[in-house]
């Protein structure tokens, strides 16, 4: 297995500089594929506008790489929607997409619904809390999909500084996701950022995948894509440094629980461990328990949704 991972790293791990922009654009023109960029957003008014503005300037005005930018607002209480729209994105509220199925909170829910309001042959997901954003994040992960027909999904890899220290971000990755992948899906051990929110995939793959509604979506997608299309259809591209808002320790605990649950379901369908997590906070009378439910729902592959099938026919 180690030899297979080493071979994959040598043949499916690239740098953003490996594919110059002119080569990517030529491939896009030759193949006629369209590109959608989706930003799932919840209370990100400080950063979402800059990300949209950079993509529009670099990849829509200067060069015609991106065909649409869609911000899916998952219930923001700040000015996220207004800021994103002012920067040039099409903003769609989560609850207005597929209203016959009531929306639930969660990142995966937003990504799943975004397939219904985008049209690109290639869908590129970018988190809305990134700072000092570079359009390399988009060109890096879209490039292999446009230039190599054998690649179906591309994850971004990067350094994740924490409090000024290089490589200290991604705590849930190192403490939860990486051990799980190495032990249970060792073919995926070569992914540097398996939980990263920046990745692109062909619509034909995404519409066949179930989507965990919460933070387990990235791990679930990797595992399911591995089984559906195989390791050589997956790739990663080094795009430099990722700066974003970091979660506190308890939020990371809840993320870890959701990720573990996603892995556990894939290891043993039909058997579910206790779908709750109890954490402790110090109150006036000492430590007080706080119990949170762990996401236990997954959305079916989008091809099974009647509204999506009707849109494809139309």
């Amino acid at each position: 297995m180690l030899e297979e991972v080493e071979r994959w790293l040598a043949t499916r791990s690239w740098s953003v500089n490996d594919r110059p922009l002119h080569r990517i654009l030529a491939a896009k023109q030759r193949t006629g594929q369209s590109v959608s960029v989706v930003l799932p957003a919840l209370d990100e008014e400080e950063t979402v506008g800059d990300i949209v503005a950079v993509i529009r300037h670099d990849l829509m005005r200067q060069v015609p790489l991106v065909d649409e930018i869609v911000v899916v607002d998952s219930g923001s209480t700040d000015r996220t929607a207004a800021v994103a729209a002012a920067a040039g994105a099409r903003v769609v509220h989560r609850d207005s997409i597929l209203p016959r199925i009531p929306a639930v909170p969660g990142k995966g829910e937003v990504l799943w619904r975004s397939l219904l309001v985008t049209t690109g042959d290639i869908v590129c997901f970018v988190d809305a809390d990134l700072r000092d954003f570079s359009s390399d994040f988009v060109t890096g992960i879209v490039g292999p999909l446009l230039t190599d027909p054998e690649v179906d999904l591309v994850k971004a890899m990067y350094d994740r500084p924490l409090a000024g220290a290089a490589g200290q971000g991604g705590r849930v990755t190192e403490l939860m996701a990486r051990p799980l992948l190495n032990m249970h899906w060792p073919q995926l051990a070569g992914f540097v950022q398996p939980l990263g929110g920046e990745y692109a995939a062909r619509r034909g793959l995404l519409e066949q995948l179930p989507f965990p509604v919460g933070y387990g979506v990235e791990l679930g997608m990797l595992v399911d894509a591995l089984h559906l299309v195989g390791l050589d259809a997956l790739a990663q591209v080094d795009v430099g440094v990722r700066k974003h808002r970091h979660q506190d320790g308890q939020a990371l605990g809840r993320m870890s629980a959701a990720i573990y649950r996603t892995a556990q379901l894939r290891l043993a369908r039909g058997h579910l461990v206790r779908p709750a997590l109890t954490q402790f906070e110090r109150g006036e009378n000492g430590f007080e328990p706080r119990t949170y439910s762990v996401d236990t729902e997954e959305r079916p592959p989008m091809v099974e949704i009647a509204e999506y099938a009707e849109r494809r026919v139309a």
Side-chain angles (χ1 to χ4, degrees):
M1 190 63 68
L2 179 60
E3 291 181 357
E4 184 178 11
V5 172
E6 290 178 344
R7 177 196 59 78
W8 179 83
L9 284 168
T11 59
R12 286 292 186 263
S13 293
W14 298 295
S15 164
V16 65
N17 298 320
D18 289 337
R19 288 175 175 80
L21 187 54
H22 68 84
R23 179 183 167 196
I24 298 173
L25 289 169
K28 183 177 190 292
Q29 184 176 16
R30 182 177 66 253
T31 61
Q33 297 177 90
S34 54
V35 177
S36 299
V37 175
V38 172
L39 277 70
L42 176 63
D43 295 331
E44 304 293 357
E45 67 174 347
E46 293 184 4
T47 51
V48 67
D50 289 341
I51 298 172
V52 171
V54 168
I55 295 172
R56 279 187 57 82
H57 176 269
D58 292 0
L59 305 179
M60 296 182 81
R61 292 177 183 154
Q62 288 198 332
V63 298
L65 180 64
V66 171
D67 297 283
E68 64 175 348
I69 306 175
V70 178
V71 171
V72 182
D73 185 358
S74 57
S76 298
T77 58
D78 65 2
R79 298 182 61 252
T80 290
V83 170
R90 177 161 61 93
V91 179
V92 185
H93 195 281
R94 174 200 62 197
D95 296 347
S96 70
I97 307 170
L98 199 62
R100 73 173 176 85
I101 300 178
V104 298
K107 180 183 180 183
E109 177 83 350
V110 174
L111 300 184
W112 181 72
R113 289 175 186 264
S114 76
L115 296 181
L116 263 168
V117 293
T118 54
T119 59
D121 302 302
I122 294 170
V123 182
C124 174
F125 299 117
V126 176
D127 281 350
D129 65 343
L130 303 189
R131 302 182 184 278
D132 301 329
F133 178 77
S134 166
S135 57
D136 284 350
F137 275 75
V138 175
T139 57
I141 56 180
V142 167
L145 294 165
L146 288 171
T147 59
D148 190 338
E150 296 182 353
V151 175
D152 288 326
L153 184 149
V154 183
K155 298 277 293 189
M157 57 176 167
Y158 32 65
D159 293 318
R160 297 183 66 178
L162 176 64
Q168 296 303 306
R171 291 162 288 173
V172 175
T173 293
E174 300 304 329
L175 297 175
M176 176 59 70
R178 200 177 307 286
L180 281 172
L181 292 175
N182 275 265
M183 288 186 289
H184 299 296
W185 297 281
Q187 286 178 295
L188 299 173
F191 277 95
V192 175
Q193 297 292 352
L195 301 184
E198 291 69 48
Y199 48 99
R202 300 190 191 281
R203 178 175 294 272
L205 171 62
L206 292 172
E207 65 187 14
Q208 297 181 69
L209 299 176
F211 277 61
V213 298
Y215 285 115
V217 63
E218 275 84 23
L219 183 134
M221 190 176 295
L222 265 188
V223 171
D224 293 340
L226 173 68
H227 289 299
L228 191 62
V229 296
L231 182 61
D232 284 340
L234 313 180
Q236 62 184 349
V237 174
D238 187 350
V239 296
V241 179
R242 183 186 196 266
K243 298 179 182 178
H244 67 114
R245 172 175 47 82
H246 291 280
Q247 303 277 2
D248 63 34
Q250 293 210 332
L252 296 180
R254 296 190 290 275
M255 292 171 62
S256 297
I259 290 163
Y260 176 76
R261 171 263 170 193
T262 299
Q264 190 271 339
L265 273 183
R266 280 153 179 76
L267 289 168
R269 293 284 180 178
H271 172 67
L272 184 64
V273 295
R274 173 176 174 258
L277 173 72
T278 299
Q279 298 178 317
F280 296 88
E281 299 177 7
R282 185 181 290 279
E284 294 181 359
N285 300 313
F287 285 104
E288 300 173 355
R290 300 283 189 274
T291 298
Y292 300 89
S293 62
V294 174
D295 297 319
T296 58
E297 189 169 358
E298 295 195 5
R299 295 305 190 188
M302 188 57 79
V303 289
E304 298 177 8
I305 301 299
E307 289 88 340
Y308 189 77
E310 291 168 2
R311 193 194 73 167
R312 296 179 72 190
V313 171

